[in-house]
């Protein structure tokens, strides 16, 4: 797997880990990779016992966050030593929520949460014949082998010979010599061992490669990141006798699939909502907990039957897309989905999670949407790993000050700041390397004018 973004990520590249409180300020010499800060390689200091405790803590964390539900997948994640599947210089970082570099072209080992994200949605179980497109480090292959057991079969196809050799060595040393490793174009699958009960594609593709659908058994499931409108959507495909059914799980970020059905490169496309009834409107909804998130999703599907309601991969955060004016839609959702919906942000721009890009978008949006006599505030919520390493309060003060200056120039007088209950809140919802910038209005809430 080569995952770097949004698949239920929990780390903040600056500040602290939301789950553990650990300091996550990038280490000196660390480099951003697909929006994540990758620590520099160093001689390992942690003992096997240290890493065992970290492995158990990570598995428990994923269980508590609702990402790890199957006892069989949990047992596999406890059994497979992730530290045996990375280059030695990155061993001390294997249980952090960051992808780490591997030998080969654009090769990484995915964040720990990525594996249950795929395998839980696939419903991977004992006895399944499993095809993995993209072997990476071999860690996911080993997990799958533990899950399907001796009655099952694991086949993994990898295009990069260097990455495949690294994975093969890892798997053999770890005792998984009975998996089938194939050097070839993953989009073509491996027809010699078909049909498969489950297929996992760990690289982004424009569409599910037809050979993989052909090799999927009736009743089988396939999971793949699919490119759509500048986004990668983790998509679950169920094959039935009448055709295929697709379900969008969440936004993710993977390296592009190479080969016959792949793409040369991919990066999130800039997106901006200019408003109006024919525009494509996007909202980001931050719910206070997973229970309210489930209730909000149900309410949204009743209120907006034609809308695309998707989980982002970050706990309690949803996106909503449908045709219409984004401000009118945000008001409708705020008033109609109940008091525990949380913050509903009308997204007006999407920018890289970098200080200059964020500041420019926030200042422009503030100047356009804060009217004479209205009070305002600027708020940032960081999730995932990103380039906004400055502490959130300092960023809010700096960017809020820039908005204040732009409004003063526009209005000809000092604008009003209200940090407790402003008329307009300019919000930056940071989701990994992308930030959705927009507004919420006090007047959208029921009982206000």
């Amino acid at each position: 797997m080569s995952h770097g973004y949004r698949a239920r990520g929990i780390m903040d590249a600056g500040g602290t880990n939301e789950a553990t409180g650990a300091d996550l300020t990038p280490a000196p010499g660390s480099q951003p990779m697909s929006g994540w800060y990758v620590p520099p390689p160093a001689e390992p200091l942690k003992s096997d016992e240290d890493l065992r405790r970290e492995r158990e803590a990570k598995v428990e964390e994923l269980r508590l966050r609702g990402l790890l539900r199957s006892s069989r997948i949990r047992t596999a994640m406890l059994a497979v030593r992730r530290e045996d599947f990375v280059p030695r210089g990155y061993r001390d970082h294997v249980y952090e929520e960051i992808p780490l570099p591997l030998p080969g072209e654009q090769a990484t080992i995915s964040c720990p949460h990525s594996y249950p994200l795929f395998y839980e949605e696939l419903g991977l179980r004992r006895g399944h014949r499993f095809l993995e497109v993209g072997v990476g480090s071999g860690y996911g292959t080993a997990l799958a082998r533990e899950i399907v057991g001796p009655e099952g079969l694991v086949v993994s196809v990898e295009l990069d010979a260097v990455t495949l050799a690294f994975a093969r060595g890892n798997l053999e040393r770890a005792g998984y010599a009975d998996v089938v490793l194939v050097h070839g174009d993953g989009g073509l699958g491996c027809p010699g061992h078909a049909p498969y009960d489950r297929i996992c594609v760990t690289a982004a593709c424009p569409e599910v490669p037809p050979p993989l659908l052909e090799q999927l058994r009736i009743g089988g499931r396939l999971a793949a990141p699919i490119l759509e409108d500048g986004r990668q959507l983790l998509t679950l495909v169920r094959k039935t006798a009448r055709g295929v059914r697709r379900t969008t799980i969440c936004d993710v970020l993977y390296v592009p699939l190479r080969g016959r059905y792949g793409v040369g490169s991919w990066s999130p496309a800039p997106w901006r909502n200019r408003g109006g009834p024919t525009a494509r409107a996007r909202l980001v909804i931050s719910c206070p907990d997973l229970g309210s998130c489930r209730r909000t999703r149900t309410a949204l599907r009743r209120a907006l039957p034609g809308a695309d309601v998707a989980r982002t991969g970050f706990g309690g955060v949803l996106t909503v897309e449908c045709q219409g004016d984004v401000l009118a839609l945000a008001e409708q959702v705020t008033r109609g989905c109940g008091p525990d919906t949380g913050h509903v942000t009308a997204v007006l721009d999407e920018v890289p999670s970098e200080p200059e890009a964020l500041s420019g978008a926030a200042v422009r949006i503030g100047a356009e949407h804060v009217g004479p006599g209205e009070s305002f505030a600027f708020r940032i919520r960081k999730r995932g790993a990103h380039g906004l390493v400055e502490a959130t309060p300092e960023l809010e003060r700096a960017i809020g000050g820039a908005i204040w200056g732009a409004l003063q120039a526009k209005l000809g007088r000092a604008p009003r700041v209200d940090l407790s209950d402003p008329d307009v809140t300019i919000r930056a919802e940071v989701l990994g390397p992308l930030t959705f910038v927009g507004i919420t209005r006090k007047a959208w809430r029921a009982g206000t004018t």
Side-chain angles (χ1 to χ4, degrees):
M1 288 188 180
S2 301
H3 173 68
Y5 161 53
R6 281 196 190 174
R8 306 184 193 274
I10 62 170
M11 291 188 72
D12 185 329
T16 58
N17 181 302
E18 294 175 9
T20 67
D23 182 12
L24 299 174
T25 302
S30 64
Q31 297 295 325
M33 179 179 66
S34 297
W36 303 76
Y37 277 88
V38 178
E43 188 65 21
L45 299 176
K46 295 177 181 177
S47 67
D48 287 349
E49 180 62 18
D50 292 334
L51 292 169
R52 181 191 64 79
R53 287 194 294 267
E54 288 189 14
R55 180 165 61 254
E56 291 176 352
K58 173 57 65 176
V59 169
E60 179 63 9
E61 174 193 308
L62 295 174
R63 185 190 70 80
L64 291 173
R65 292 177 65 85
L67 307 179
L68 182 54
R69 303 179 296 277
S70 161
S71 61
R72 193 159 185 84
I73 298 175
R74 178 179 179 276
T75 300
M77 294 192 73
L78 289 171
V80 179
R81 290 163 42 103
R82 184 174 162 89
E83 56 268 30
D84 294 339
F85 292 84
V86 297
R88 178 176 173 80
Y90 295 105
R91 187 172 184 266
D92 284 357
H93 300 281
V94 291
Y95 295 105
E96 297 174 19
E97 287 293 340
I98 49 176
L100 298 169
L102 301 175
E105 184 178 346
Q106 293 186 310
T108 65
I109 182 173
S110 299
C111 305
H113 70 268
S114 302
Y115 299 89
L117 173 64
F118 267 78
Y119 295 163
E120 292 283 10
E121 296 294 345
L122 282 170
L124 190 61
R125 297 291 182 267
R126 177 187 288 273
H128 280 163
R129 298 176 72 86
F130 177 68
L131 173 65
E132 178 186 47
V133 176
V135 70
S137 68
Y139 173 69
T141 318
L143 288 178
R145 188 69 189 84
E146 289 284 344
I147 295 166
V148 304
E151 307 92 334
L153 175 70
V154 176
V155 180
S156 187
V157 184
E158 174 59 51
L159 186 61
D160 192 302
V162 174
T163 303
L164 180 62
F166 177 73
R168 189 186 302 277
N170 294 337
L171 288 161
E172 289 177 353
R173 285 188 294 273
Y176 298 97
D178 58 346
V179 297
V180 179
L181 301 180
V182 179
H183 182 211
D185 184 344
L188 302 179
C190 184
H193 292 281
Y196 299 99
D197 299 290
R198 302 290 188 267
I199 298 177
C200 176
V201 182
T202 65
C205 43
E207 190 48 87
V208 176
L212 300 184
L213 286 176
E214 292 172 6
Q215 293 169 37
L216 184 63
R217 186 189 304 276
I218 297 293
R221 300 181 188 179
L222 178 151
I226 302 299
L227 296 166
E228 182 178 315
D229 296 330
R231 301 163 64 191
Q232 291 185 16
L233 304 177
L234 179 57
T235 303
L236 181 67
V237 176
R238 294 177 174 87
K239 186 175 180 180
T240 72
R242 296 183 178 181
V244 297
R245 296 167 51 205
R246 298 168 185 259
T247 304
T248 298
I249 307 303
C250 62
D251 287 48
V252 290
L253 183 60
Y254 281 76
V255 300
L257 181 70
R258 292 184 289 159
R260 183 179 301 181
Y261 295 98
V263 291
S265 62
W266 182 87
S267 60
W271 179 89
R272 180 172 294 173
N273 191 306
R274 292 299 189 185
T278 62
R280 185 70 175 171
R282 178 181 294 174
L283 308 179
V284 173
I285 301 178
S286 301
C287 302
D289 53 54
L290 293 178
S292 65
C293 186
R294 286 191 293 270
R295 292 190 293 273
T296 298
R297 289 175 65 199
T298 300
L300 285 168
R301 290 193 173 111
R302 286 198 302 264
L304 302 169
D308 178 10
V309 180
R311 292 174 288 181
T312 62
F314 296 99
V317 185
L318 305 172
T319 60
V320 181
E321 289 192 32
C322 68
Q323 211 74 20
D325 182 84
V326 67
L327 301 179
L329 179 67
E331 180 175 4
Q332 177 185 351
V333 170
T334 302
R335 290 179 180 273
C337 286
D340 65 352
T341 298
H343 298 303
V344 179
T345 300
V347 177
L348 299 165
D349 207 350
E350 177 183 303
V351 297
S353 298
E354 299 168 358
E356 290 186 3
L358 170 55
S359 181
V363 169
R364 176 184 61 79
I365 289 169
E368 290 178 359
H369 291 275
V370 178
E374 289 187 318
S375 60
F376 84 96
F378 174 66
R379 292 286 180 251
I380 301 174
R381 180 69 187 273
K382 296 177 183 174
R383 303 173 185 84
H386 46 74
L388 298 167
V389 296
E390 190 174 358
T392 296
E394 282 72 19
L395 270 177
E396 289 182 339
R397 280 194 290 270
I399 296 176
I403 297 170
W404 190 94
L407 284 168
Q408 184 185 41
K410 172 189 172 183
L411 301 173
R413 62 177 183 271
R416 291 196 299 124
V417 175
D418 184 343
L419 299 182
S420 59
D421 192 23
D423 296 310
V424 182
T425 303
I426 299 98
R427 292 193 178 278
E429 297 282 358
V430 181
L431 303 180
L434 288 182
T435 296
F436 297 90
V437 189
I439 66 168
T440 62
R441 284 188 168 275
K442 180 167 66 174
W444 292 344
R445 302 198 300 265
T448 63
T449 59

